[in-house]
Amino acid sequence: MADIRSQDIGRLFSPKSIAFVGGSIAEMSIRRCVEMGYQGEIWPVHPKRETLAGYKCYASIADLPSAPDAAYIGINRELSITVVGQLASIGAGGCVCYAAGFGEVGEEGQDYQDQLIAAAGNMPLVGPNCFGFVNFMERCALWPYLFGGDPVAKGPALISQSGNIAMNLTMNQRSVNFTYVIATGNQAVMGAGDYIDALLLDERVTAIGMYVEGFDDIEKFSKAALKAMAKGVPIVVLKVGKTEASARQTSSHTSSLAGSDTLYDALFTRLGVIRVDSLNRLLETLKLLDTSPPLRGNNIFSLSCSGGEAAMISDLVPEHHLEMLPFSPAQIDQLRGQLPNYVTISNPFDYNTSIWGDQAAQTDVFTAAMSGNHDAAFLIYDHPTVNGEEVAKEVAEWIMTLDAFIAAHKATGIPAFVVCTISELLPKELRSYLISHGVVPLQGFDDALFAYSAALKHYQSKQQQITLPRFPEVHIGADVDSQVIDEYYSKIALKEFGLTIPAGGVGTKSQLAEIADKAGYPVVLKAVGPEFLHKSDMGAVILKLNNAEDVADAADSIIASTTAAGVPATQFLVESMVAGSLAELIIGINRDDQFGPALIIGAGGILVELVADSVSLLLPTSRSAVKDAINSLSVAKLIGGFRGQKKGDLEAAIDAVMAVAHYAEANWNKLLELDINPLMILPEGSGVVAADALIIQSK
C-alpha cells in the first residue's frame, strides 16, 4: 500500500471543493451532496455535457479552477486510471474510485489495480469497487445511492468493505447516527489502519464500527487499534468468514485446532477490540459506547412489572458474564415499606403493577432500587404500538414509567439503561428522549446484554498493558521444503528452553536394556524417526514395560509392525512411564500466513479430537495470558481439583507453555508446526512432563 499520512486523508474526508467525474453516477452523487446541504465548491467534469445536476461542467481535470480537495470518479476502469493519474499530478486531496473490474475479478483485474495504485502514487484513494463515503458533519457525500442518517455534531464512524451493508446500516432504527460512513471496497491504496488513523484525528468521532472481510495489513491495523485504545476511541468489528476455507491437512493435531479466525479473536482480545457477530450487535454496541458513561462493573439489576421479563433476563445474564446480586438489607426494608406485601423484593425486580400509573410512587421505588451498590440499572420497557385518542391516557402511563426511571437515574447517578424485549417496541422519539436525559435505550434483550458486557470488557482492557503481537518477518508458502524433527530431538530442543521431558534415551535394539535400566521401570518403547508421526496407528509404541525382557519383546513387535507398514524401525526411544497424571494438555504452534507462529493450548490426549477445546494466543505472550487461557478450558476443572480431587500443578503447566512460546520466538522464521501432546499434569508441586513432541520446520 502507498505511504499516505492520515492528515492527507483528512483533507479528502472534509473537502471544501469536490470534483465529480462522469455521467449518471457522478450526477447522483452531486444530488446527495445538495440534499445534505453541502456548502463547498462542486465541480462536475464531463467532456461533452455543459451541466451536471445544474452545475457547470468542466471538460477535463486540467480545466478545473484548482486542485480539488476530493474527487468522485464514476467512470469505467480504464478511464479511471487515467483520471486518477491526472488528479495526483495536480495535487488533489484524494479521490473515490467507483468502478469495478479490478482486483476482485482475478488476475486480469489485478493488473488494472496495479496500474491504478501506480497512478495514485501517494494520493489517498478510496476503493476501487466501492460506493465511497459520507461525512454527516460537513454534509458531503461522495456516494451515489440513497442513505439514511441525520447531520450530527459527534458520534461513531463506520468503515465497511461492503457498500451495501454500509448503506443499510445508515438506515438503522436504533438511534445510531454516524459521523462518517466509509465503504472501502478493494482497499487498493488505503487499508483499515489508514482509515482508523485518519478518523482518530477527528475529536468528534467517539467510536469506530467496522464490517470486515479481511485485512491486507494486520500489523498496520494493530498499530492503529493501539492508538485508538490510547485515545479512548473503542473499535467494534463484525468480521465475517469464520470458517477456515484455507485449512490444510497436516501431520499434527494442533493444526486441527487452529485457523485464522481464531487468531483474529486472539488479536482483537489482545488489542481491546470488541468483536460482534451480527449487525444488530454492532449497532447496539456502538450506541452504548457513544451514549453511556464508562461502565463500572458486571453487577446489574433489572426493573420490570412482569415476572416473565424478569425470568428472561435472569436466564440471559450469566451467558454474558454478568451477575445480578441481591439488594442490600437497607434497600429491602425501604422497598418493603413502599410496596404491598405480596411483592417479592429480589433481583431481577418485578415491582408488579401495584404502582402502575403512579409516577411519584414509581420514582420512589426506582430511586430506592438504584441507591445500592449495583453497577447499572436496567428498566425493561416495551412501548405499546396501539394508537388513537381512546387509548392515549393508557399509553401516557407507560411514559410515566420512563419519567420515573429518568428521575431516579438523575437522583442516584447510576448508569441507566432502558431495554425492550424486541427491537420494534422502542420508537425513535422515545429513544431520543431517553438519550437527551442521559439514559441509554437498548433494543432486544440478548443484544442489549451483549453490548453491555462487550463494552465493559473494553473498559477493563484499558486498565491493562496492551502490546503489539509479533508478525511474520518472512512469508513461507504452502510449497515450502519442510523438515520433520523426530520426537526425541524435538524434546531435546524444547528441553533447552525449560520443558520437562521423561528420563530415557535413544538407541538400537541391542542398547535398549541398558537405557531402560537407567530410565527406571516401567518404561515405554517407541520407534523414532521422521517417518513415525502417528506411532499408535503403525504399532510403533508399546507402554508399561516392566523389565528388559519386556523391552526386547516390544522391540521385536514394533519391528514386525513397522516392517509390514514398509518402514522398518531401527532406532528406538525408551522413556520412563509417567504416573499420577491428573489432566492432560496439548501445546502447539501453528504457522499462519498473516500472523506467523501462533500458540495453541487445549485439552490434550484423546480429548483433542473428542472435545476440540482450545485457546489461541499470539506471540509474544505473558504468564497471566497463558494462565487465563488454561483456566478457560474445560480441563481446568481437573487441574483445579475437581470434586475434592488433588490439584494439578498449574504453575508448572504455565512454565511449559512459556517454554514453547520462547522456543517459537527463537525460531520465528523457520518454525512451521510444533506439537506437544500430551503434556501430563502432575499433582501440585510435582511438575509436568511432555510425553510426546513433534517439530516441523522449513529447511
Side-chain angles (χ1 to χ4, degrees):
M1 290 185 175
D3 182 17
I4 296 172
R5 298 182 309 159
S6 49
Q7 291 89 338
D8 296 335
I9 308 175
R11 179 184 169 198
L12 166 65
F13 284 162
S14 300
K16 294 180 173 59
S17 58
I18 309 174
F20 293 88
V21 184
S24 60
I25 292 295
E27 187 170 33
M28 290 168 67
S29 189
I30 293 172
R31 287 175 180 159
R32 300 287 91 86
C33 274
V34 172
E35 291 163 2
M36 291 187 78
Y38 175 64
Q39 297 300 304
E41 296 289 334
I42 292 177
W43 301 333
V45 178
H46 197 285
K48 297 179 181 179
R49 294 181 60 168
E50 293 188 1
T51 63
L52 205 65
Y55 289 84
K56 171 194 168 184
C57 278
Y58 296 87
S60 68
I61 298 298
D63 294 325
L64 292 173
S66 63
D69 292 324
Y72 193 85
I73 306 173
I75 53 182
N76 67 45
R77 66 180 179 180
E78 291 84 357
L79 288 176
S80 291
I81 295 169
T82 300
V83 168
V84 165
Q86 293 170 347
L87 287 166
S89 68
I90 66 171
C95 67
V96 171
C97 184
Y98 170 82
F102 289 92
E104 79 279 4
V105 297
E107 187 174 341
E108 178 196 0
Q110 186 61 49
D111 289 340
Y112 281 101
Q113 186 155 306
D114 292 341
Q115 295 176 49
L116 184 73
I117 294 169
N122 288 330
M123 180 182 72
L125 181 148
V126 181
N129 183 33
C130 73
F131 288 0
F133 72 85
V134 182
N135 180 335
F136 287 91
M137 295 173 294
E138 270 68 60
R139 302 189 180 204
C140 65
L142 279 77
W143 181 291
Y145 303 115
L146 293 172
F147 54 82
D150 299 315
V152 294
K154 68 179 186 67
L158 177 67
I159 303 168
S160 173
Q161 283 183 260
S162 166
N164 204 61
I165 284 177
M167 179 173 64
N168 292 340
L169 288 172
T170 67
M171 301 181 192
N172 74 84
Q173 296 299 310
R174 293 173 179 264
S175 295
V176 180
N177 292 307
F178 296 105
T179 49
Y180 297 92
V181 172
I182 307 165
T184 63
N186 289 12
Q187 303 183 107
V189 173
M190 298 189 297
D194 297 300
Y195 292 114
I196 293 170
D197 279 343
L199 292 172
L200 290 177
L201 293 177
D202 194 328
E203 299 294 333
R204 298 169 295 182
V205 174
T206 59
I208 298 173
M210 302 181 71
Y211 169 84
V212 174
E213 295 164 5
F215 292 99
D216 286 336
D217 193 332
I218 291 281
E219 187 169 3
K220 195 168 189 177
F221 164 77
S222 299
K223 290 178 178 178
L226 278 186
K227 292 180 190 176
M229 176 65 83
K231 190 176 178 183
V233 178
I235 296 177
V236 186
V237 174
L238 171 58
K239 187 197 173 295
V240 296
K242 290 188 174 184
T243 57
E244 184 58 36
S246 62
R248 61 182 186 267
Q249 292 289 336
T250 60
S251 53
S252 72
H253 296 294
T254 302
S255 294
S256 68
L257 302 177
S260 288
D261 195 70
T262 62
L263 300 182
Y264 276 115
D265 275 338
L267 179 69
F268 296 151
T269 298
R270 182 161 181 158
L271 297 176
V273 171
I274 299 170
R275 184 174 189 176
V276 299
D277 57 7
S278 71
L279 295 174
N280 287 346
R281 289 185 170 182
L282 176 67
L283 290 167
E284 289 302 302
T285 306
L286 286 172
K287 176 170 57 180
L288 188 148
L289 290 165
D290 181 43
T291 58
S292 169
L295 304 180
R296 308 191 306 204
N298 70 339
N299 175 22
I300 69 171
F301 80 92
S302 70
L303 296 161
S304 67
C305 62
S306 162
E309 293 160 348
M312 287 178 63
I313 197 168
S314 182
D315 282 346
L316 287 172
V317 157
E319 293 182 16
H320 296 286
H321 309 290
L322 304 174
E323 59 183 0
M324 304 183 83
L325 298 182
F327 293 110
S328 69
Q331 285 178 290
I332 293 173
D333 289 343
Q334 188 176 4
L335 290 167
R336 280 177 177 159
Q338 294 170 333
L339 292 164
N341 57 15
Y342 56 80
V343 176
T344 301
I345 313 300
S346 63
N347 183 20
F349 185 17
D350 171 15
Y351 61 85
N352 208 272
T353 57
S354 60
I355 55 173
W356 187 257
D358 186 339
Q359 185 172 333
Q362 285 184 318
T363 301
D364 289 343
V365 168
F366 293 174
T367 302
M370 296 166 74
S371 297
N373 293 321
H374 292 95
D375 297 311
F378 283 75
L379 174 67
I380 302 173
Y381 177 95
D382 291 302
H383 194 73
T385 58
V386 180
N387 298 311
E389 293 183 9
E390 67 279 4
V391 297
K393 182 178 179 180
E394 292 182 62
V395 172
E397 292 178 347
W398 266 262
I399 306 299
M400 289 181 189
T401 300
L402 290 183
D403 287 333
F405 189 64
I406 290 169
H409 162 63
K410 291 181 176 179
T412 62
I414 184 173
F417 303 84
V418 169
V419 56
C420 54
T421 55
I422 55 176
S423 63
E424 295 86 351
L425 298 183
L426 200 57
K428 181 178 180 179
E429 60 272 15
L430 288 185
R431 298 195 304 268
S432 300
Y433 181 65
L434 290 167
I435 291 171
S436 70
H437 286 283
V439 176
V440 182
L442 297 173
Q443 292 160 265
F445 264 5
D446 205 19
D447 294 336
L449 293 176
F450 174 92
Y452 182 94
S453 179
L456 176 62
K457 187 175 181 181
H458 168 79
Y459 289 124
Q460 291 170 338
S461 295
K462 291 178 65 176
Q463 311 305 316
Q464 303 167 5
Q465 183 177 2
I466 299 176
T467 58
L468 277 176
R470 184 177 175 183
F471 294 98
E473 297 159 16
V474 296
H475 175 71
I476 299 178
D479 57 349
V480 65
D481 194 6
S482 62
Q483 174 185 7
V484 176
I485 312 299
D486 69 31
E487 178 181 346
Y488 177 69
Y489 287 104
S490 292
K491 285 178 174 176
I492 293 300
L494 290 165
K495 182 181 179 182
E496 293 180 7
F497 285 81
L499 185 70
T500 302
I501 63 174
V506 170
T508 61
K509 180 182 175 183
S510 63
Q511 298 170 311
L512 297 183
E514 181 181 354
I515 298 171
D517 289 341
K518 289 182 180 179
Y521 295 101
V523 296
V524 57
L525 183 67
K526 306 175 185 180
V528 291
E531 63 270 35
F532 301 114
L533 299 185
H534 300 289
K535 303 178 188 67
S536 296
D537 296 342
M538 300 175 68
V541 55
I542 299 178
L543 307 175
K544 299 179 181 178
L545 306 175
N546 295 310
N547 51 55
E549 186 177 350
D550 286 349
V551 172
D553 291 344
D556 289 337
S557 177
I558 290 174
I559 291 171
S561 297
T562 54
T563 300
V567 281
T570 58
Q571 290 284 314
F572 300 87
L573 171 62
V574 183
E575 290 180 326
S576 61
M577 293 284 294
V578 180
S581 174
L582 302 177
E584 296 180 343
L585 291 177
I586 179 173
I587 310 171
I589 297 289
N590 191 61
R591 191 175 195 92
D592 183 86
D593 291 342
Q594 290 183 300
F595 294 96
L599 178 66
I600 299 97
I601 310 168
I606 63 170
L607 294 180
V608 172
E609 286 90 358
L610 189 62
V611 299
D613 183 21
S614 67
V615 177
S616 297
L617 296 175
L618 300 178
L619 298 174
T621 190
S622 64
R623 289 186 66 86
S624 60
V626 169
K627 184 175 183 178
D628 289 344
I630 294 174
N631 284 334
S632 72
L633 302 170
S634 57
V635 73
K637 293 180 180 179
L638 295 175
I639 299 174
F642 186 62
R643 292 189 174 179
Q645 299 298 310
K646 291 181 181 179
K647 290 185 177 181
D649 201 330
L650 176 59
E651 291 302 315
I654 297 171
D655 290 338
V657 176
M658 294 304 296
V660 172
H662 293 149
Y663 177 87
E665 289 186 73
N667 295 273
W668 189 260
N669 291 325
K670 64 179 182 180
L671 181 60
L672 299 177
E673 294 181 40
L674 186 154
D675 216 14
I676 296 173
N677 184 34
L679 180 77
M680 306 182 79
I681 314 297
L682 303 177
E684 194 170 27
S686 301
V688 299
V689 180
D692 199 354
L694 169 69
I695 294 172
I696 303 176
Q697 61 188 29
S698 61
K699 289 185 177 178

